[in-house]
Amino acid sequence: METVRLARHGEIAIATIDNPPVNALGQALRADLARVIADVGSDPAVAAIVIAAVGRAFIAGADISEFGKPPVAPLLPDLLDAIENCPKPVVAAIQGVALGGGLELALACHGRVGSASASFGQPEIKLGLIPGAGGTQRLPRLIGAAQAFPMMLSGEPIPASRALQLGLVDDVADGDVVAAAMALARALAARGAPEPVRDMTARLTAADREAFEAQALAATKTSGEMPDAMALIEAVRGVFTLPFTEGLAAERALFVKLVADPRSRALRHVFFAEREIARVPGIGADVKPRAIAKAAVIGAGTMGGGIAMCFANAGIPVTLIEQEQAQIDNGMNRVAAIYEMSVTRGSLSPEKRDERLALITPALGLDAAADADVVIEAAFEEMGVKQQIFGALDAIAKPGAILASNTSYLDIPTIAAATKRPQDVLGMHFFSPANVMKLLEVVRPDGVSDEAVVTAMALGRRLGKVPVVVGNGFGFVGNRMLEARTRATERLLVAGALPHEVDAALTGFGFKMGPCAMADLAGNDIGWRSRKARGKTAAVADAICEAGWFGQKTGRGYFLYPDGARSGLRDPEVEALIARISEEQGANRRSFKSDEILSRLLDPMVNEGARILEEGIAVRPGDIDVIWLNGYNWPAWRGGPMHWADSVGLDILVARLEAQAAEMGDATLEPAPLLRRLAAEGKGFADLKATTI
Ligand code: 3H9
């Protein structure tokens, strides 16, 4: 057998699962386990069976990559049935995480022993699913519905100590978990056939049902629109209303329906895309990251302070550098105030705050970066300033230090040219607020060494970020596509839509905020300054800035924010200003339905994404999706812009873009060649292979 090793210790058979990387229950493993149970179950020399595993996971669940494909026998529910009906007691020896189908397998066993570091969870909901191999029926029977339902609703695993308290495991082994499982197996064999979980009813009391129904009601209020949460309630309720086999069939039907739901397909795409980003084409596994023991951040503004906090939060000492005392004092005060807010909210202890603050050393002058293994420049966004800093750093920084710029737009090779060590210079683009947002674009220009890229990626993960390698080019990936959406907003406003309509289309899609509210929050002057620097104009956005309406900080922008309000009100003056601009531009204002606004906002973004792929600025469409999910709050259950485009159909996008380009007389809206090619071939972005940057 490829995935299971069988051994005998006296009358106990031990089946050890070894199916790297995480013992997912793919077809081969299911078949091997089914064979073991059939063979050993009928072997008169065997009294009991232990199912153990090697690696970091006991079993990470069903093999997610098999979902959506035709199922191949043996199916997981049938395997678990065979385990539960095995004439010999079967005991699970759980040495790592038991998740999803992995926990369901353990529940079908007659006994369960965990190691002290094991954990247990039903995370299916994070994939838009519910447990589909008996979890909703067996877990409540074992620990009570009021304990089981919250586990399945949150998807969060529980540690072994809690599992023992709940009765999920029979024992937690301090030492060898397999030896402890063998002891339990022997005891169960001596006692005779144990009661399978399917027959347990002691926990299903009236009080348990009442508590579960209260939880279900609360979940309906908060997750009423999520089909997975509603299906979960229905399935779990079955433990009180249906016999076991009928409850199991009802669960299965709900599970199968959810697997085909576009939301689950999107979440599964995200699961794999977020893991795929770690593989950088052209860089082998033999390239190892350099050690990072100390960091320096140049510039103690909002961004620099936030980046310094990322290091302190990860336990890495960091020097925060400014030119003048007042600037560094301001920066440190801002950092201290943010930590203080966390202490007030109860999310950080005063001790941890002190520890973190102690890791940030304020300093004046670049000389303080001399002993840093990585230097991140977060100074003013101007090429001259950056070149001056990198030129000076070249003489100061220690050999082999990673020199990174946090620039959002500027050309990294031009910055690197100020040094004699371009092999160590790259971009590390954090997103605001840097201590909160997960995304990190690691910008890989020509000339940088693979080792520097690998070091920046490893560092990003250590800082708790989601690092994505991108190529060098204006705005890299995220901001370049954001600019496409900003231009689309401007076009819509001039053509007849109003700010609140544009925003409503996007929030209706699942974003927390629309483009106008977002611009008001970030400050409209930021885009204005950037446009001016590049000789660009945007009639509506420029006029709003010329009126001094910079957004929330000035009390008005696209919307009105009376008395410091956080959500804006419609502003008749802004609407009149927009109407005037439409007239000046000779546009016949017309109304737009929400769907049309949405496609006019998102189609140009996807088009820009296609160009980004053509140019090799992003390696894979999935990388673009990960960027939008983690840096711009794209709703995860929509899978990211490129996945969304595939779900709409690229031929439809091409037709819509062509129509818009003709209507607007705007050649930038013409479909990108890659988009046209994929559409003509009847393919989607998902069919593309990774390219080297
Ligand atoms: C389910 O069980 C449904 C059932 O109720 C019913 C069925 C009928 N499948 O995360 P990592 C791969 S739904 C396939 O980097 P870590 C992953 O892609 C499932 N592949 O490691 C990656 O591959 P690569 C419920 C999987 O140590 C590699 O393993 N279970 C699966 O940071 C390493 O992954 C879950 O939702 C899988 N189930 O974390 C658990 N799991 O190296 C999902 C992982 O090629 N998994 N891979 O990129 C996890 O939460 C984490 O992977 C885990 C390890 C905590 C296990």
Side-chain angles (χ1 to χ4, degrees):
M1 284 182 293
E2 267 175 42
T3 61
V4 181
R5 283 195 303 274
L6 197 57
R8 283 278 298 279
H9 286 255
E11 51 184 12
I12 307 291
I14 301 178
T16 304
I17 299 170
D18 188 0
N19 188 28
V22 291
N23 297 330
L25 283 159
Q27 197 274 337
L29 176 55
R30 294 197 305 273
D32 285 346
L33 281 172
R35 205 167 310 134
V36 167
I37 296 298
D39 291 352
V40 181
S42 61
D43 184 344
V46 172
I49 304 152
V50 167
I51 299 181
V54 291
R56 59 192 187 276
F58 169 65
I59 297 173
D63 185 334
I64 301 167
S65 65
E66 288 183 357
F67 291 163
K69 298 180 187 157
V72 182
L75 301 188
L76 190 56
D78 299 334
L79 169 65
L80 302 198
D81 231 28
I83 292 175
E84 199 166 50
N85 292 325
C86 180
K88 317 281 169 60
V90 185
V91 174
I94 301 156
Q95 90 298 356
V97 289
L99 297 176
L103 178 53
E104 290 173 303
L105 182 139
L107 292 169
C109 294
H110 307 103
R112 285 153 293 280
V113 180
S115 68
S117 59
S119 58
F120 306 82
Q122 297 281 181
E124 287 87 344
I125 200 116
K126 296 187 179 177
L127 299 169
L129 300 171
I130 63 168
T136 67
Q137 302 304 295
R138 288 194 181 92
L139 193 59
R141 281 178 165 82
L142 184 64
I143 65 172
Q147 303 295 345
F149 177 68
M151 265 181 80
M152 294 188 263
L153 185 66
S154 73
E156 290 303 319
I158 58 168
S161 53
R162 178 75 183 140
L164 186 63
Q165 267 174 3
L166 292 175
L168 201 168
V169 289
D170 300 276
D171 195 8
V172 172
D174 286 330
D176 183 351
V177 68
V178 178
M182 279 168 59
L184 177 63
R186 267 191 212 99
L188 289 178
R191 233 184 278 156
E195 185 190 24
V197 172
R198 69 196 297 160
D199 294 337
M200 293 181 181
T201 51
R203 299 281 176 113
L204 302 180
T205 59
D208 184 45
R209 178 158 192 188
E210 201 176 313
F212 158 70
E213 291 296 351
Q215 292 166 349
L217 187 66
T220 309
K221 285 189 185 140
T222 52
S223 325
E225 284 174 25
M226 299 310 277
D228 47 9
M230 296 307 102
L232 184 64
I233 293 173
E234 192 183 330
V236 174
R237 189 170 286 134
V239 300
F240 298 107
T241 58
L242 298 172
F244 179 78
T245 45
E246 284 175 37
L248 214 54
E251 173 203 84
R252 186 74 187 165
L254 289 163
F255 172 81
V256 168
K257 198 165 155 212
L258 287 171
V259 168
D261 191 290
R263 296 177 197 233
S264 175
R265 275 210 297 271
L267 289 167
R268 274 146 35 207
H269 159 74
V270 171
F271 177 86
F272 287 114
E274 288 196 330
R275 282 156 182 84
E276 195 82 355
I277 50 169
R279 278 186 278 275
V280 185
I283 302 187
D286 53 322
V287 183
K288 300 287 176 226
R290 294 176 198 158
I292 302 285
K294 214 163 178 278
V297 175
I298 300 169
T302 314
M303 216 49 207
I307 298 170
M309 289 174 76
C310 295
F311 281 100
N313 297 350
I316 303 172
V318 55
T319 308
L320 186 57
I321 299 174
E322 263 298 353
Q323 282 172 306
E324 291 176 21
Q325 193 61 42
Q327 294 166 326
I328 195 70
D329 289 346
N330 281 343
M332 287 303 287
N333 288 341
R334 208 168 15 237
V335 167
I338 297 173
Y339 278 136
E340 202 50 49
M341 215 142 65
S342 304
V343 172
T344 312
R345 274 203 307 262
S347 57
L348 187 73
S349 69
E351 295 74 34
K352 279 261 174 291
R353 171 203 55 200
D354 295 346
E355 265 173 39
R356 291 180 188 186
L357 276 171
L359 284 169
I360 307 178
T361 308
L364 291 180
L366 293 180
D367 285 346
D371 61 347
D373 303 304
V374 57
V375 184
I376 299 184
E377 166 277 316
F380 196 65
E381 195 72 339
E382 206 181 273
M383 185 53 87
V385 175
K386 310 263 183 203
Q387 284 192 310
Q388 201 181 356
I389 290 174
F390 277 77
L393 274 179
D394 197 25
I396 294 165
K398 66 185 197 190
I402 303 291
L403 306 183
S405 173
N406 176 53
T407 179
S408 315
Y409 292 99
L410 298 175
D411 186 58
I412 305 287
T414 310
I415 297 174
T419 73
K420 286 187 277 310
R421 42 172 125 176
Q423 73 279 3
D424 293 331
V425 181
L426 43 66
M428 286 181 77
H429 181 208
F430 290 76
F431 287 74
S432 185
N435 54 313
V436 176
M437 295 304 285
K438 289 261 182 217
L439 178 62
L440 175 69
E441 285 182 331
V442 173
V443 188
R444 182 187 185 188
D446 287 344
V448 73
S449 72
D450 290 352
E451 206 182 80
V453 174
V454 167
T455 306
M457 291 290 282
L459 175 61
R461 280 189 290 273
R462 220 172 130 197
L463 299 182
K465 301 294 170 197
V466 176
V468 185
V469 170
V470 299
N472 180 61
F474 181 81
F476 313 121
V477 173
N479 282 350
R480 179 166 160 189
M481 287 172 71
L482 182 67
E483 199 175 75
R485 195 181 77 181
T486 308
R487 283 198 303 271
T489 302
E490 181 79 16
R491 271 194 299 270
L492 275 163
L493 294 176
V494 174
L498 290 171
H500 70 281
E501 293 169 335
V502 174
D503 278 17
L506 215 58
T507 52
F509 181 76
F511 274 89
K512 290 201 189 97
M513 242 185 224
C516 298
M518 199 183 119
D520 278 356
L521 179 66
N524 294 318
D525 49 324
I526 296 179
W528 192 35
R529 231 182 296 128
S530 152
R531 280 193 300 280
K532 279 207 254 187
R534 291 180 288 133
K536 305 248 173 199
T537 58
V540 175
D542 290 350
I544 284 177
C545 288
E546 276 150 22
W549 303 337
F550 291 162
Q552 285 197 23
K553 60 187 171 192
T554 57
R556 61 191 298 184
Y558 285 92
F559 300 108
L560 287 170
Y561 301 89
D563 308 321
R566 288 304 197 115
S567 57
L569 305 174
R570 286 176 64 173
D571 184 345
E573 278 191 66
V574 167
E575 293 180 10
L577 176 149
I578 293 173
R580 201 179 61 236
I581 290 172
S582 300
E583 205 180 316
E584 282 166 15
Q585 297 197 5
N588 278 330
R589 290 185 69 79
R590 68 164 173 98
S591 63
F592 285 88
K593 290 217 170 68
S594 198
D595 277 358
E596 198 182 358
I597 293 179
L598 193 65
S599 62
R600 284 181 180 234
L601 286 175
L602 302 189
D603 295 357
M605 279 178 59
V606 172
N607 205 21
E608 200 62 40
R611 291 193 190 106
I612 283 170
L613 286 168
E614 274 165 3
E615 293 166 25
I617 299 290
V619 171
R620 291 162 284 244
D623 289 23
I624 297 181
D625 289 339
V626 171
I627 285 173
W628 269 81
L629 250 71
N630 290 283
Y632 302 85
N633 288 320
W634 183 286
W637 54 272
R638 297 276 196 187
M642 310 316 270
H643 177 87
W644 171 80
D646 278 355
S647 72
V648 171
L650 299 191
D651 50 342
I652 293 178
L653 253 85
V654 166
R656 289 199 306 223
L657 282 163
E658 278 172 345
Q660 227 201 116
E663 179 195 321
M664 298 274 164
D666 183 343
T668 65
L669 288 167
E670 285 294 343
L674 175 65
L675 189 56
R676 278 191 199 282
R677 174 168 70 74
L678 289 172
E681 291 170 357
K683 291 184 177 161
F685 288 112
D687 297 308
L688 288 178
K689 295 245 178 330
T691 54
T692 312
I693 287 177

